[in-house]
Amino acid sequence: MSSLSRFGHVIAGEPVAGQRWMPSYDPYLGEPWAEVAAGTADDVDAAVSAARRAYRDPAWRGLTPTARGALLLRLADLLAEHAEQLAVAETRDNGKLIAEMRAQMRYLPQWFRYFGGLADKVEGAVIPSDKPSMFNYTKPEPLGVVAAITPWNSPLLLTAWKLAPALAAGNTVVVKPSEFTSTSILPFLDLVARAGFPPGVINLVTGTGAEVGAALVEHPDVAAVAFTGGEASGRAVAASCGRKLIPATLELGGKSAQLVFADAILENAVKGVAGGIFAATGQTCVAGSRVLVERRILPEFLDRLSALAKGARMGDPMRDETEVGPVTTRQQLDRILGFIEHAKRDGAEVLIGGSRATRPECGQGWFVEPTIFTGVTPSMRIAQEEVFGPVACVIPFDSEEEAVAIANGTRFGLATGVWTRDLARAHRLAATVESGMVWVNTYRTSSPMSPFGGMKASGLGRENGAEAIRHYLQTKAVWMDFSETYPSPFVMRL
Ligand code: NAD
């Protein structure tokens, strides 16, 4: 048996060992540090059955919305107490900076506070009646068992975005984390149990997307899917949900543009653009990978952006001072380097970076040098496909119209950054860019209160914000007739 720590499934509140195990790698060391259960369709069936039983059990179903909300608030308090432990677990697992994971974990409780508070504020309606003897009202009801499928870049944060509204609405959940980052959810689930959630309300099955993810989506007792991941997997999930006729929220990838106008506060724009593409080593769905710069400030902007990127400290993500860490998987490292080589062949010019990082502080880890391409045309592959790494392509523009046309010229539509001091222009752009989020003079800002999601191939539906809970509810319309007589049974009652 392996000497590495093993992380299994959690079904009906009990730990369940895997029949098979797969390695989980430390991206900084480039070597396995744990083993994760490689689940099967049988594990999925056991988890969905447990979630289905919990959904029908009065211990959960009988709770008032206020009592459900109180459980979420209790979990929020426990998460706040254990933020440091969870941050370390995340960094170990996915290699993102401890500084960023600390910030995420300290803020994580807010999702459970927001949706815990919302649990008993979701109202049905009394419908105005055109039939004097009838009373008609609506009731929001949960869906049943929700499958929550997450990627590797921010495992617990993106799990919380699904769990908090799904639970507040009264559903039960089976979580399927990325096969590359399946361990940090276990300390999280310990806190779920301590908060007092009945066993089976939240279950965990780990494993690959092809085996566990697909079986979960296809399971006949799964009533809805909340998915975050890449475009190709998102399309596969949507196709399964279409066949089953169940709803899905899809948070997919992007090729987001940052538009820098000559009137912007240049120092802020440089920081915002660097943060958009080099922070988190570019492994964010909202990575601002297309940097559109007004031509007359291009030289100065590039000088400043290159200087900032070159000076970023790379190395051990567990160290507080590190600014650029490794990428999470070996496959992703190869994929990013493949995109870089392809861009060079297409004629893009490397301004900085353009290779694997071999600095001594990067050791054997999976590091890519922060890379800036110039000489990019909007139709090049590097300007159209999501790289999910620290690779910016810079495209100059001469007018606002041209900038908007380039920004909207991809199949994605997740986020747009706008850097300008011209308020009228900021409002014009907020209205014309095709993306689910627009950040003006800021970037990568999020909150449980504000809807998050994409247009076009970046996804369907929104996470966060009060509207998100509606994805986990269905409306029942109830009619009551209080008249003493019944009209002709052969005519519809209109
Ligand atoms: P991925 O699509 O490979 O995997 C995401 C999850 O889906 C994993 O748990 C995986 O096992 C599972 N999966 C894969 N194929 C599946 C299938 N056929 N059926 C069911 N489940 C399946 O994505 P990734 O590489 O882990 O993450 C990176 C991607 O996630 C990027 O494209 C990024 O933009 C996207 N992302 C989007 C957001 C957002 O909110 N829009 C946030 C973070 C990441």
Side-chain angles (χ1 to χ4, degrees):
M1 189 176 131
S2 157
S3 59
L4 300 175
S5 319
R6 285 186 155 174
F7 294 81
H9 316 296
V10 177
I11 299 175
E14 297 295 328
V16 174
Q19 303 294 320
R20 292 172 287 140
W21 299 90
M22 53 191 187
S24 189
Y25 285 83
D26 180 328
Y28 174 57
L29 300 175
E31 54 188 42
W33 74 277
E35 286 188 324
V36 172
T40 62
D42 288 343
D43 298 314
V44 169
D45 191 47
V48 175
S49 302
R52 185 83 192 138
R53 281 194 305 278
Y55 179 68
R56 290 183 167 154
D57 192 325
W60 178 248
R61 198 65 196 269
L63 290 181
T64 62
T66 311
R68 276 202 310 271
L71 282 176
L72 271 86
L73 297 178
R74 170 91 185 110
L75 176 59
D77 289 344
L78 289 166
L79 290 169
E81 277 170 37
H82 294 82
E84 179 65 19
Q85 177 202 347
L86 294 172
V88 171
E90 287 276 72
T91 294
R92 187 83 205 267
D93 212 13
N94 75 355
K96 269 173 99 170
L97 301 184
I98 189 70
E100 168 135 335
M101 297 331 270
R102 264 191 198 122
Q104 276 192 10
M105 292 306 106
R106 285 189 193 133
Y107 196 46
L108 192 72
Q110 291 308 110
W111 269 269
F112 295 93
R113 295 204 172 103
Y114 180 78
F115 286 103
L118 191 60
D120 60 4
K121 292 162 197 73
V122 182
E123 297 176 348
V126 174
I127 309 295
S129 178
D130 55 358
K131 298 163 194 20
S133 71
M134 294 215 193
F135 177 54
N136 180 205
Y137 67 95
T138 62
K139 235 167 93 50
E141 293 196 343
L143 303 169
V145 178
V146 172
I149 301 178
T150 55
W152 38 260
N153 58 327
S154 286
L156 289 181
L157 186 75
L158 298 174
T159 304
W161 290 14
K162 295 160 183 54
L163 275 184
L167 297 172
N171 300 281
T172 57
V173 183
V174 177
V175 179
K176 205 304 268 173
S178 164
E179 50 271 51
F180 302 110
T181 54
S182 296
T183 67
S184 59
I185 182 114
L186 283 152
F188 174 91
L189 288 182
D190 286 343
L191 302 178
V192 166
R194 279 178 56 189
F197 283 87
V201 169
I202 308 171
N203 305 275
L204 167 71
V205 186
T206 59
T208 63
E211 194 161 2
V212 171
L216 185 56
V217 174
E218 288 288 342
H219 196 288
D221 285 335
V222 164
V225 178
F227 176 88
T228 300
E231 185 193 356
S233 336
R235 287 184 191 276
V237 168
S240 298
C241 292
R243 277 194 300 275
K244 281 179 65 184
L245 290 179
I246 61 167
T249 51
L250 302 170
E251 299 289 354
L252 308 179
K255 194 71 199 172
S256 298
Q258 293 246 45
L259 281 55
V260 184
F261 289 87
D263 68 345
I265 301 174
L266 207 55
E267 193 183 334
N268 293 357
V270 168
K271 283 184 184 159
V273 166
I277 187 65
F278 301 129
T281 319
Q283 302 171 105
T284 69
C285 51
V286 294
S289 50
R290 293 183 301 147
V291 182
L292 315 187
V293 185
E294 195 164 349
R295 197 179 302 273
R296 63 195 157 99
I297 57 160
L298 186 64
E300 187 183 354
F301 181 84
L302 286 178
D303 283 350
R304 291 201 195 194
L305 184 66
S306 311
L308 201 163
K310 277 199 225 161
R313 285 183 296 273
M314 300 182 82
D316 185 350
M318 282 290 183
R319 294 174 74 95
D320 288 340
E321 63 275 20
T322 303
E323 292 171 322
V324 178
V327 296
T328 300
T329 72
R330 171 80 221 194
Q331 293 89 320
Q332 186 60 15
L333 173 72
D334 293 339
R335 193 176 134 80
I336 296 169
L337 296 175
F339 270 112
I340 290 175
E341 291 312 312
H342 197 290
K344 290 177 189 167
R345 285 199 300 279
D346 278 349
E349 292 147 29
V350 174
L351 183 67
I352 63 163
S355 62
R356 185 172 179 171
T358 51
R359 309 177 190 194
E361 58 271 35
C362 297
Q364 298 304 307
W366 300 325
F367 287 83
V368 179
E369 285 289 343
T371 296
I372 301 175
F373 277 111
T374 56
V376 175
T377 56
S379 61
M380 279 183 188
R381 185 165 178 251
I382 197 69
Q384 289 292 329
E385 297 299 324
E386 183 182 47
V387 175
F388 218 58
V391 181
C393 53
V394 176
I395 305 173
F397 65 83
D398 293 299
S399 68
E400 188 180 310
E401 293 69 30
E402 189 191 1
V404 171
I406 299 171
N408 289 344
T410 76
R411 67 182 186 285
F412 295 109
L414 191 53
T416 310
V418 177
W419 299 90
T420 181
R421 271 184 282 195
D422 180 338
L423 201 54
R425 170 187 283 147
H427 280 291
R428 271 197 307 275
L429 287 168
T432 48
V433 293
E434 295 163 354
S435 63
M437 279 110 33
V438 182
W439 286 302
V440 178
N441 298 327
T442 181
Y443 204 75
R444 260 186 107 211
T445 308
S446 103
S447 149
M449 292 169 260
S450 182
F452 186 105
M455 294 181 177
K456 306 194 308 195
S458 289
L460 287 177
R462 294 290 178 271
E463 297 196 299
N464 307 339
E467 69 180 86
I469 201 166
R470 290 281 164 190
H471 288 303
Y472 299 96
L473 290 164
Q474 53 195 335
T475 299
K476 183 177 276 175
V478 181
W479 292 85
M480 291 185 187
D481 189 347
F482 44 84
S483 64
E484 300 288 324
T485 56
Y486 201 89
S488 166
F490 303 106
V491 178
M492 190 180 177
R493 301 202 64 186
L494 298 170

